[in-house]
Amino acid sequence: MKKIIFLLVFIPTLFVQVSTARSIRNTAPASALLTLYYDIKDALVSGDPVAASAKAAQFVTTLKALDASALPEASSEALLKDAAHISKSGDIKTQREHFKTFSETMYTLAKTSKLS
């Protein structure tokens, strides 16, 4: 009888732990995107196109490494496009132009994905 009760408690606990681990694994890299977004913003505010380019390149790398199911495909493509433009450009004005649409997409993503 004790074994049956143990199994009835143990098996659901195991499934909860696995689903929690998957959730954490998908959320952590997505939250890293938010941190990189702030780094890009800070570089553009301070007028440093080199730092903005480097952080945008890190953003692209992190986004490509992210599990495809973690973000909506349309958001991923839009973020990838704008971050790639920012990373390839050395002109602060061009970087800021692309950052506008990048910010709008990031804002929508942060609201829907509950990034923190």
Side-chain angles (χ1 to χ4, degrees):
M1 182 70 164
K2 288 182 182 179
K3 289 182 182 181
I4 293 173
I5 293 173
F6 175 74
L7 287 175
L8 290 174
V9 171
F10 178 73
I11 291 174
T13 303
L14 180 65
F15 286 115
V16 169
Q17 288 177 344
V18 170
S19 68
T20 302
R22 285 185 186 152
S23 174
I24 290 170
R25 194 170 45 232
N26 287 341
T27 305
S31 293
L33 292 177
L34 187 59
T35 301
L36 288 168
Y37 166 80
Y38 287 133
D39 291 342
I40 296 167
K41 178 212 41 110
D42 291 341
L44 292 173
V45 168
S46 67
D48 188 355
V50 176
S53 179
K55 291 298 181 178
Q58 283 181 337
F59 187 95
V60 169
T61 303
T62 304
L63 184 59
K64 286 182 178 180
L66 194 62
D67 183 17
S69 65
L71 301 175
E73 187 176 338
S75 294
S76 291
E77 291 174 5
L79 289 171
L80 190 61
K81 181 185 119 195
D82 287 323
H85 282 292
I86 293 169
S87 71
K88 292 176 183 173
S89 177
D91 179 38
I92 193 87
K93 185 177 178 182
T94 303
Q95 288 175 332
R96 287 177 176 159
E97 288 171 8
H98 286 287
F99 188 75
K100 181 181 178 193
T101 55
F102 183 69
S103 289
E104 291 167 357
T105 307
M106 198 66 188
Y107 174 75
T108 303
L109 178 66
K111 285 187 73 165
T112 59
S113 300
K114 298 179 183 172
L115 296 178
S116 60

